[in-house]
Amino acid sequence: MGYLIILLIILSLFFFKRKNLKYYFIIIVFILAIVAFNFEPSKEYDLYRHFNMLDNCRLYGFNYIINHPDYENLPVGATYFYLSSLIPTNGFLPMVTTIISYMSVFIIINKFIEEKEWKKSAILLAIFSFLCMYNYLGLISGIRNKICISIVFYILYKDLIEKKNFVKCMIGYIALALFHPSIFVVIALRLLLLVKDKKLQSIIKILLLLWSFLKNVILSILSKFNNFSIVSYIVTKMNSYDLAEATAVANVPLYTFVYFTRNVIILLIFLEYYRKNKNNKRFETYLIFSSYLICFVFGALREYHFFIRMSELLLLVSLPITIAFFSYTEPKKSIYPYSQKIYNTLLKLFLIIESILFLIFYIVGQYQILLWGIIIWEN
């Protein structure tokens, strides 16, 4: 019954009219929030540890978490967990996290599709791929990284496409980095956008592709600033992210392959969209950032944690590009109109197949335990 509900939730997307998609978003968030609230994690899940943290916060107060080794350099994260501990039921933590994360993404998607008459098929394809390929269990169990990734996508859209105040957006980036340190990567990539020279941008992309081979050099440079506690913390975390540690908690080759195939499809869509729209001034900065992120992600193949986490951000960043790309109509006077149509159709087919395979992968490997949340809700 649980599997049927999952399929109905996703497939019902195709029965909503374009103007009513915002209601679909609300329904989806409500259902996912209820499942998250009822999720009872076993000891191998991060959420089990987070629940223990909430219990200790209730006993010992804010001083406990702000002095905890995992949070002493992350005051925003510590505050979020402390505020969550003020609510007596632990289930509110994953529930609120789910609402914030999915609403951050859906608000941007809804805003984007209302700006222009994009093809409905392109909109549905992007939403379908997001629902299938976004790691929901990773969100409600891991909490910190996924919520930051969703919110940073929201800020990136405001910053790079809507051209909102840079200082305010940077404050948002820094606040999220003090929630989870992975967002320092986003800050670094955002600052690289200040480089306007095309040749230097090409060099930056090459360096980003090779960054994991330069990791020791990066750590050596950062170590010179160890007097700053946050820098020392980042260096410690980067050193702790090794293959042995990752292998202990996940099937590294399998997850790397699965995410790699998704990233390749995103790359192909990006390259085709960039070829046709590289002179689009409104999207120019967003596309450059996307290219930097793509280079960083593929350069992180040897660094499992960075690869997986930044791949999730890449999925979100690709959503507007996916909608715009599959809404594009090749001019009739194009030199290769038919071959281009065939290629675009193949990309669409690959994305659909990859989305379905991802959903199967998650259901078989992860979501079975979440079905208990649906069953509890039903009863």
Side-chain angles (χ1 to χ4, degrees):
M1 185 62 179
Y3 296 112
L4 181 59
I5 292 176
I6 291 175
L7 292 175
L8 288 175
I9 289 171
I10 294 176
L11 293 178
S12 63
L13 163 68
F14 298 94
F15 295 95
F16 277 77
K17 294 181 179 180
R18 176 195 173 108
K19 64 179 180 180
N20 294 328
L21 281 174
K22 56 180 173 289
Y23 302 117
Y24 175 78
F25 297 153
I26 294 172
I27 293 170
I28 285 292
V29 171
F30 175 77
I31 294 173
L32 294 177
I34 292 297
V35 174
F37 180 82
N38 286 296
F39 178 45
E40 293 291 340
S42 52
K43 291 184 178 180
E44 67 266 23
Y45 288 96
D46 287 339
L47 189 59
Y48 184 88
R49 178 167 51 86
H50 293 327
F51 281 177
N52 285 336
M53 184 68 68
L54 295 181
D55 292 337
N56 287 325
C57 281
R58 294 184 186 109
L59 287 173
Y60 306 112
F62 183 69
N63 285 336
Y64 170 81
I65 192 168
I66 199 62
N67 291 310
H68 192 279
D70 289 342
Y71 294 93
E72 60 184 351
N73 293 295
L74 302 172
V76 177
T79 302
Y80 182 74
F81 275 80
Y82 173 71
L83 292 176
S84 299
S85 73
L86 298 179
I87 302 172
T89 305
N90 286 338
F92 275 94
L93 173 64
M95 184 183 78
V96 172
T97 300
T98 298
I99 293 172
I100 295 173
S101 299
Y102 276 89
M103 285 307 298
S104 297
V105 177
F106 287 149
I107 286 172
I108 292 303
I109 293 177
N110 193 63
K111 180 180 288 289
F112 185 72
I113 64 180
E114 287 183 346
E115 291 177 356
K116 188 176 179 180
E117 286 296 318
W118 305 109
K119 288 183 179 179
K120 184 181 178 182
S121 60
I123 296 170
L124 295 180
L125 177 59
I127 298 172
F128 175 74
S129 65
F130 165 67
L131 291 175
C132 289
M133 295 195 285
Y134 191 63
N135 191 344
Y136 172 60
L137 180 59
L139 166 68
I140 66 173
S141 179
I143 302 291
R144 299 182 301 168
N145 174 252
K146 289 292 191 300
I147 190 175
C148 288
I149 290 295
S150 297
I151 299 174
V152 88
F153 167 62
Y154 178 91
I155 299 176
L156 281 168
Y157 186 90
K158 294 287 184 178
D159 179 16
L160 304 181
I161 293 183
E162 295 188 350
K163 313 299 182 185
K164 298 296 184 181
N165 185 278
F166 171 74
V167 174
K168 290 182 179 179
C169 292
M170 187 55 65
I171 291 172
Y173 296 138
I174 293 172
L176 290 173
L178 296 177
F179 195 133
H180 194 277
S182 62
I183 305 303
F184 280 110
V185 173
V186 178
I187 294 176
L189 297 181
R190 177 61 183 91
L191 292 176
L192 287 174
L193 292 176
L194 299 176
V195 177
K196 302 300 181 181
D197 185 82
K198 298 295 183 183
K199 291 183 179 178
L200 288 178
Q201 288 177 355
S202 298
I203 294 173
I204 289 171
K205 291 173 187 176
I206 293 172
L207 291 175
L208 288 173
L209 283 169
L210 299 174
W211 79 266
S212 63
F213 294 96
L214 305 172
K215 181 180 175 181
N216 290 334
V217 176
I218 298 171
L219 288 173
S220 176
I221 295 172
L222 290 175
S223 296
K224 297 182 185 300
F225 302 92
N226 266 347
N227 290 335
F228 298 95
S229 60
I230 186 64
V231 177
S232 177
Y233 177 75
I234 292 171
V235 171
T236 301
K237 294 298 286 185
M238 288 183 70
N239 279 320
S240 67
Y241 288 159
D242 57 26
L243 188 60
E245 184 271 340
T247 303
V249 297
N251 187 332
V252 172
L254 176 60
Y255 274 80
T256 301
F257 174 76
V258 169
Y259 277 77
F260 177 78
T261 55
R262 184 181 79 186
N263 292 341
V264 168
I265 294 174
I266 292 174
L267 172 63
L268 293 175
I269 292 172
F270 170 80
L271 290 175
E272 272 301 293
Y273 181 78
Y274 181 77
R275 180 180 67 83
K276 299 169 183 175
N277 297 273
K278 57 185 176 183
N279 296 321
N280 186 326
K281 294 300 181 181
R282 183 165 185 259
F283 284 89
E284 182 181 14
T285 309
Y286 189 80
L287 290 175
I288 295 172
F289 177 87
S290 299
S291 68
Y292 287 168
L293 180 60
I294 289 171
C295 290
F296 180 87
V297 168
F298 280 98
L301 272 170
R302 300 170 66 247
E303 299 289 335
Y304 176 77
H305 287 285
F306 283 103
F307 179 72
I308 296 297
R309 287 168 176 171
M310 290 299 107
S311 290
E312 291 291 81
L313 177 59
L314 180 58
L315 173 64
L316 302 187
V317 169
S318 71
L319 294 176
I321 297 173
T322 299
I323 293 172
F325 172 71
F326 287 113
S327 295
Y328 181 82
T329 302
E330 196 74 27
K332 292 183 179 180
K333 294 183 179 180
S334 176
I335 301 175
Y336 306 109
Y338 296 109
S339 60
Q340 192 62 51
K341 285 182 179 179
I342 293 173
Y343 183 69
N344 291 355
T345 301
L346 286 175
L347 277 181
K348 184 181 293 187
L349 182 62
F350 289 153
L351 182 58
I352 293 172
I353 293 173
E354 181 73 5
S355 300
I356 294 172
L357 291 177
F358 243 93
L359 181 61
I360 295 172
F361 171 72
Y362 282 146
I363 288 176
V364 173
Q366 296 184 4
Y367 289 172
Q368 292 187 50
I369 189 170
L370 288 175
L371 296 179
W372 287 106
I374 297 176
I375 293 170
I376 291 171
W377 181 28
E378 288 175 339
N379 292 334

